[in-house]
């Protein structure tokens, strides 16, 4: 029998005085999940070539959330993207562009989302991949949490470089559960632990669950292959690099080529080369299966939130740390400024606000999540960061999305920004990309690095301009097309002016 719990956000005291309580936060993350979900079908879907996708739990969450159809990361690789979102600041502020540097050492002693809620008296509990693990986060940024951090034990058993993907038989995963299953189990245990105090209004919680898939290697229970019959999987329709693409825009997908089954193919990773068709088909099928596996484990956590009577008082956010290239352009992994790399899923459920489901096509950014969660929890709004915020612990470089929950079609940001570093002959390069409603424009200038961390616009290694109205797959670079000269000049000025000029009018 299901037990009904009244909302703890309105408690009637013995003196018949209504006492307002704060909302809890369940913070859900997926690794390398591009928005290849049924809820994104249409012009915002990553590719026109795909099988029917199976993600019933994320579909359900989206049905009572603000679904951000066009949310963009600030850099398409794990640590820089996560650091940016978790601090609410962009890579040129955190100074994190790789998987090594820790923002507290190279950027500043910035307050993170879980740390902020900890400071507000919440139990802050983390597990799995929230920050990029290891030295890039000082080992999961210990100051952000009130409890010991949890990682799935024996993670390495399913994470070798031998195979880029593997369907795990039931006889194996029933003995040794997969890491994301262990994370879901732990999340359920934690929710049961925090529930009594949360229901009574005695102690709020911020629980962060970072699932590992569909990151490489694509490891999943073999059962999920049934959702994606081999005959339903097809090659991308654009297995070639964009016409007139500058060399600097390309990534040789070394992450994938490091797996032994791919390494033995002697793939060069160069533009306009591709992996064998059967390998592409199997990789795509495995990615879809891993995605559905993550959806299943996430669903178990969401169901437990309901079972415990916490759903009416808990904000739920979900995001994937960046997109992923799945053979489109002959490209794989992330590590670029192409649309498929920087476009990622995000949704936010706020009880009593988004219950009927809202969808926005407005351009949004991952730096917007921090101020959104603060406002959704009815805490003091974060101030906008000044130009130099190195010495300021708490501020924002994004904008709360709460106004879009009131009107998803309201006037909003006219442009969003991403970036990705490169090097050539010992020279540092930074690709800066601006996305407007119709265009993506990217420039690849030299980059000064520390201590200035500034673009050197006078030294240019390439430019890209894609017209999404006529070319949604970014197959033709129009940067040097005379017909686009006027729009390129406008976009160049907007790109170099930067994000501050595009804050929404709220």
């Amino acid at each position: 029998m299901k037990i009904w719990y009244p909302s703890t956000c309105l408690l009637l005291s013995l003196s018949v005085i209504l006492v307002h309580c704060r909302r809890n936060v369940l913070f859900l993350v997926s690794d390398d999940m591009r928005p290849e979900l049924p809820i994104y079908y249409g012009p915002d879907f990553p590719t026109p070539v795909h099988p029917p996708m199976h993600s019933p739990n994320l579909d359900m969450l989206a049905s009572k959330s603000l679904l951000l159809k066009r949310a963009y990361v600030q850099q398409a690789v794990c640590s820089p993207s996560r650091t940016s979102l978790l601090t609410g600041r962009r890579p040129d502020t955190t100074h994190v562009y790789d998987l090594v540097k820790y923002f507290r050492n190279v950027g500043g002693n910035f307050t993170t989302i879980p740390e902020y809620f900890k400071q507000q008296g919440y139990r802050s509990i983390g597990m799995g991949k929230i920050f990029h693990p290891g030295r890039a986060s000082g080992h999961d940024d210990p100051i952000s949490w009130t409890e010991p951090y949890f990682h799935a034990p024996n993670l390495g058993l399913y994470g070798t470089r031998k195979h880029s993907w593997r369907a795990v038989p039931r006889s194996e995963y029933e003995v040794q559960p997969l890491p994301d299953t262990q994370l879901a189990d732990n999340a359920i245990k934690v929710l049961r632990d925090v529930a009594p105090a949360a229901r009574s209004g005695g102690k709020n919680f911020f629980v962060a669950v970072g699932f590992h898939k569909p990151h490489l290697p694509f490891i999943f229970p073999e059962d999920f292959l049934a959702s994606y019959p081999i005959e339903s999987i097809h090659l991308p329709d654009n297995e070639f690099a964009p016409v007139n693409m500058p060399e600097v825009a390309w990534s040789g997908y070394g992450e994938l080529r490091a797996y032994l089954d791919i390494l033995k193919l002697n793939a060069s990773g160069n533009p306009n080369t591709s992996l064998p068709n059967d390998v592409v088909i199997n990789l795509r099928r495995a990615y879809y299966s891993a995605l559905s596996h993550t959806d299943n484990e996430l669903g178990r956590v969401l169901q437990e939130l309901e079972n415990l009577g916490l759903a009416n008082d808990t904000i739920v956010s979900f995001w994937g740390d960046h997109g992923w290239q799945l053979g489109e352009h002959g490209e794989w992994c992330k590590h670029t400024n192409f649309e498929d790399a920087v476009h990622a899923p995000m949704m936010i459920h706020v009880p009593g606000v988004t219950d009927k489901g809202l969808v926005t096509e407005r351009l949004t950014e991952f730096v917007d999540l921090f101020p959104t969660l603060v406002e959704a929890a009815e805490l003091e709004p974060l101030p906008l960061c000044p130009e130099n915020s190195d010495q300021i612990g708490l501020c924002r470089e994004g904008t709360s999305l709460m106004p879009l929950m009131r009107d998803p079609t309201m006037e909003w940001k006219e442009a969003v920004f991403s970036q990705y570093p490169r090097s050539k002959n010992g020279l540092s390069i930074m690709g800066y990309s601006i996305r407007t409603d119709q265009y993506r424009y990217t420039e690849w200038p030299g980059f000064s690095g520390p201590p200035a961390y500034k673009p050197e616009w006078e030294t240019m290694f390439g430019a890209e301009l894609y017209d999404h109205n006529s070319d949604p797959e970014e197959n033709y670079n129009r940067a040097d097309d005379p017909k686009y000269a006027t729009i390129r000049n406008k976009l160049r000025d907007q790109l170099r002016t930067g994000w501050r000029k595009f804050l929404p009018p709220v």
Side-chain angles (χ1 to χ4, degrees):
M1 181 178 69
K2 185 174 181 179
I3 300 174
W4 179 81
Y5 297 96
S7 170
T8 59
C9 279
L10 286 175
L11 296 175
L12 189 63
S13 74
L14 294 177
S15 57
V16 200
I17 299 174
L18 286 176
V19 180
H20 184 71
C21 295
R22 298 180 296 189
R23 295 183 176 108
N24 310 299
V25 181
L26 178 60
F27 191 78
L28 303 172
V29 186
S30 177
D31 202 358
D32 285 12
M33 183 184 289
R34 68 188 200 167
E36 193 144 355
L37 306 165
I39 48 180
Y40 284 88
Y41 283 162
D44 304 305
F45 204 73
T47 173
V49 180
H50 61 88
M53 297 300 297
H54 298 274
S55 55
N57 297 294
L58 283 170
D59 295 351
M60 180 274 296
L61 179 60
S63 73
K64 57 182 181 180
S65 299
L66 173 66
L67 175 63
L68 304 161
K69 283 289 194 79
R70 294 201 290 175
Y72 291 87
V73 303
Q74 277 43 77
Q75 187 179 319
V77 70
C78 300
S79 186
S81 177
R82 291 166 183 263
T83 298
S84 176
L85 180 143
L86 288 161
T87 63
R89 312 193 199 204
R90 298 165 194 269
D92 280 350
T93 300
T94 67
H95 302 157
V96 173
Y97 309 106
D98 58 27
L99 305 183
V100 177
K101 295 180 178 63
Y102 179 27
F103 72 91
R104 295 192 190 275
N105 294 335
V106 297
N109 193 28
F110 305 143
T111 302
T112 69
I113 295 175
E115 182 185 6
Y116 174 82
F117 281 93
K118 171 185 171 182
Q119 292 171 351
Q120 303 306 310
Y122 284 59
R123 287 183 70 180
S124 178
I125 304 172
M127 64 199 77
K129 190 174 180 182
I130 301 299
F131 295 88
H132 192 77
R135 58 177 174 169
S137 60
H139 300 279
D140 302 303
D141 198 48
I143 196 174
S144 286
W145 315 104
T146 60
E147 325 279 324
Y149 202 86
F150 175 85
H151 282 292
N154 302 315
L155 184 61
L157 293 178
Y158 288 115
T160 71
R161 292 279 180 177
K162 188 175 181 180
H163 299 288
S164 58
W165 70 273
R166 188 160 75 92
V168 181
R170 180 180 296 272
S171 60
E172 185 174 343
Y173 69 71
E174 286 186 343
V175 174
Q176 178 60 55
L178 274 69
D180 281 356
T181 302
Q182 295 179 58
L183 284 172
D185 289 344
N186 188 69
I188 290 168
K189 177 182 176 182
V190 166
L191 287 174
R192 290 173 179 172
D193 179 58
V194 301
R199 286 197 300 261
S200 71
K203 192 76 169 178
N204 289 97
F205 64 79
F206 178 97
V207 172
V209 186
F211 294 103
H212 292 281
K213 298 304 167 188
H215 192 287
L216 283 167
F218 307 145
I219 305 296
F220 53 89
E222 64 179 355
D223 318 58
F224 287 98
L225 286 174
S227 296
Y228 302 101
I230 192 71
E231 61 271 15
S232 73
I233 312 300
H234 302 286
L235 299 172
D237 65 347
N238 61 337
E239 289 189 287
F240 49 86
V243 175
N244 299 320
M245 179 199 75
E247 180 184 355
V248 70
W250 186 258
S251 170
Y253 55 92
E255 179 184 9
L256 175 61
R257 291 190 296 115
Y259 286 85
L260 296 182
D261 59 332
I262 306 299
L263 183 64
K264 69 181 183 181
L265 301 173
N266 294 315
S268 68
N270 293 332
N272 295 316
T273 64
S274 61
L275 299 175
N277 288 351
D278 63 322
V279 173
V280 173
I281 292 292
N282 284 325
L283 283 170
R284 287 166 71 88
R285 187 187 188 200
Y287 180 90
Y288 304 145
S289 300
L291 182 153
S292 291
H293 164 50
T294 296
D295 176 84
N296 182 68
E297 299 301 344
L298 180 146
R300 294 175 55 218
V301 178
L302 290 173
Q303 185 60 55
E304 189 64 23
L305 192 75
E306 291 278 355
N307 295 345
L308 292 169
L310 296 170
N312 290 339
D313 300 323
T314 302
I315 299 161
V316 181
S317 65
F318 169 79
W319 50 278
D321 58 351
H322 40 68
W324 220 80
Q325 291 143 154
L326 203 56
E328 295 84 10
H329 294 142
E331 183 70 278
W332 294 86
C333 308
K334 46 269 190 182
H335 313 113
T336 74
N337 279 322
F338 293 129
E339 182 82 3
D340 284 345
V342 297
H343 181 209
M346 181 180 281
M347 62 191 76
I348 307 159
H349 168 66
V350 181
V353 179
T354 66
D355 295 341
K356 295 182 179 180
L358 300 162
V359 177
T360 184
E361 292 279 352
R362 294 296 180 254
L363 296 167
T364 57
E365 301 177 279
F366 272 37
V367 288
D368 297 334
L369 184 58
F370 195 163
T372 303
L373 293 178
V374 170
E375 186 175 352
E378 300 185 22
L379 300 168
E380 190 69 25
L382 304 183
L384 183 68
C385 294
E387 289 281 355
N388 186 340
S389 63
D390 292 356
Q391 301 302 314
I392 298 176
L394 182 64
C395 64
R396 61 176 173 85
E397 292 185 354
T399 303
S400 171
L401 300 167
M402 291 297 286
L404 288 175
M405 297 181 191
R406 295 187 285 272
D407 180 5
T409 65
M410 71 178 291
E411 184 180 352
W412 201 246
K413 295 181 181 180
E414 295 181 4
V416 291
F417 296 81
S418 304
Q419 61 190 98
Y420 205 90
R422 292 276 190 262
S423 62
K424 183 176 182 179
N425 300 326
L427 298 175
S428 294
I429 303 168
M430 185 64 73
Y432 288 95
S433 192
I434 182 173
R435 178 66 156 92
T436 67
D437 184 60
Q438 181 173 349
Y439 300 102
R440 173 171 301 285
Y441 180 67
T442 304
E443 290 191 336
W444 297 89
F447 189 68
S448 67
Y453 298 96
K454 296 292 184 184
E456 298 170 342
W457 298 113
E458 68 280 2
T459 306
M460 194 62 59
F461 292 86
E464 301 166 83
L465 172 56
Y466 302 103
D467 183 343
H468 276 253
N469 280 4
S470 61
D471 179 27
E473 294 182 86
E474 297 186 339
N475 292 328
Y476 300 94
N477 177 17
R478 306 292 186 180
D480 294 326
D481 187 335
K483 295 178 183 177
Y484 285 82
T486 300
I487 189 61
R488 176 182 175 176
N489 289 337
K490 178 182 178 181
L491 291 167
R492 179 189 60 209
D493 292 343
Q494 291 175 333
L495 175 67
R496 297 185 185 189
T497 297
W499 60 269
R500 290 182 184 274
K501 299 296 183 182
F502 293 93
L503 293 174
V506 293

